Amino acid sequence: DARVTQTPRHKVTEMGQEVTMRCQPILGHNTVFWYRQTMMQGLELLAYFRNRAPLDDSGMPKDRFSAEMPDATLATLKIQPSEPRDSAVYFCASGSGTSGGAHEQYFGPGTRLTVT
Amino acid sequence: QQQVKQSPQSLIVQKGGIPIINCAYENTAFDYFPWYQQFPGKGPALLIAIRPDVSEKKEGRFTISFNKSAKQFSLHIMDSQPGDSATYFCAAINSGGGADGLTFGKGTHLIIQP
């Protein structure tokens, strides 16, 4: 049963600390997305990659957030330094598709981040 | 700017009833409209999706109705069950726009009472 995996599932950290979240996309999927979910804003796209190349990170606060895809089986989202307003659930999703879009996106279980 | 507006925010329906969740979009370039179901502590799961060249799509007890001229689409759940209690999100994407991220509605918290 192919699925997207994310680690850690929960993270509590103090303001100013670095946070790294990891995602393993479904094998064979070439597009990886990072979304953030909060009660106030709902689900928001932060960044995404196709064939490991970053295509759009306009939804991400660039001064503190960075997203990378070191290889086809690993995507990372890093926050440095973290702030209380970063508290949210971060989802990774993967899909397969060409430049026309990876329409069917499959979400991981998420990382619940709490910054105190 | 909220490009996909979803209503209602919450909905309570008796078992066997037909909950209806509505979404409206602004961007006429959107051409793929999925619905996601999310249970507490889980990631959103793709439920059903439609393209604007059809007015209705059914998969099991779930039906999407699409009105292109009104720029609206809705999800109907037939013979609803307590296990359908979840948060439902509509979404949209412009598949030819070069941007692959989904634009989500704010979600509808659905409770099916036994």
Side-chain angles (χ1 to χ4, degrees):
Chain A
D1 184 25
R3 61 183 67 188
V4 176
T5 58
Q6 291 186 246
T7 57
R9 293 294 314 277
H10 303 273
K11 177 71 176 180
V12 180
T13 191
E14 292 183 350
M15 181 173 62
Q17 296 298 305
E18 177 179 299
V19 175
T20 298
M21 291 168 271
R22 293 177 175 81
C23 166
Q24 181 172 4
I26 293 172
L27 188 65
H29 281 186
N30 65 343
T31 311
V32 175
F33 305 83
W34 283 104
Y35 290 90
R36 176 170 63 185
Q37 185 175 38
T38 62
M39 289 296 293
M40 292 299 296
Q41 300 298 326
L43 277 158
E44 303 172 285
L45 177 68
L46 296 176
Y48 76 96
F49 297 77
R50 180 179 299 119
N51 297 322
R52 296 178 54 201
L55 290 191
D56 184 4
D57 61 1
S58 59
M60 212 163 60
K62 296 191 182 48
D63 56 337
R64 300 183 299 108
F65 285 58
S66 61
E68 295 180 348
M69 202 160 175
D71 61 60
T73 64
L74 176 65
T76 63
L77 179 66
K78 188 175 296 185
I79 308 174
Q80 168 63 24
S82 58
E83 297 181 0
R85 59 179 169 154
D86 301 328
S87 297
V89 181
Y90 291 82
F91 288 104
C92 174
S94 73
S96 59
T98 64
S99 59
H103 307 316
E104 293 187 356
Q105 299 183 19
Y106 298 88
F107 283 72
T111 294
R112 180 175 294 276
L113 173 65
T114 303
V115 183
T116 61
Chain B
Q1 181 185 2
Q2 184 183 353
Q3 295 197 54
V4 179
K5 294 183 180 180
Q6 184 172 348
S7 63
Q9 198 169 8
S10 61
L11 183 59
I12 301 174
V13 173
Q14 294 294 315
K15 176 184 174 182
I18 304 176
I20 301 173
I21 303 171
N22 300 296
C23 285
Y25 62 97
E26 300 165 6
N27 186 346
T28 55
F30 287 149
D31 60 358
Y32 178 78
F33 303 88
W35 285 88
Y36 282 80
Q37 179 188 57
Q38 185 178 27
F39 293 106
K42 306 290 186 182
L46 179 62
L47 194 60
I48 185 174
I50 196 169
R51 291 193 177 274
D53 53 347
V54 297
S55 60
E56 186 176 276
K57 184 174 181 180
K58 289 183 181 180
E59 286 187 8
R61 295 184 294 108
F62 299 91
T63 299
I64 301 178
S65 298
F66 190 88
N67 186 330
K68 187 175 181 179
S69 61
K71 293 186 288 183
Q72 294 175 347
F73 58 110
S74 59
L75 177 71
H76 298 63
I77 306 176
M78 306 302 175
D79 187 27
S80 58
Q81 301 296 314
D84 297 327
S85 298
T87 300
Y88 292 81
F89 295 91
C90 61
I93 191 170
N94 171 12
S95 62
D100 295 318
L102 290 163
T103 299
F104 283 91
K106 292 290 190 182
T108 296
H109 183 52
L110 174 66
I111 296 174
I112 306 298
Q113 291 185 331

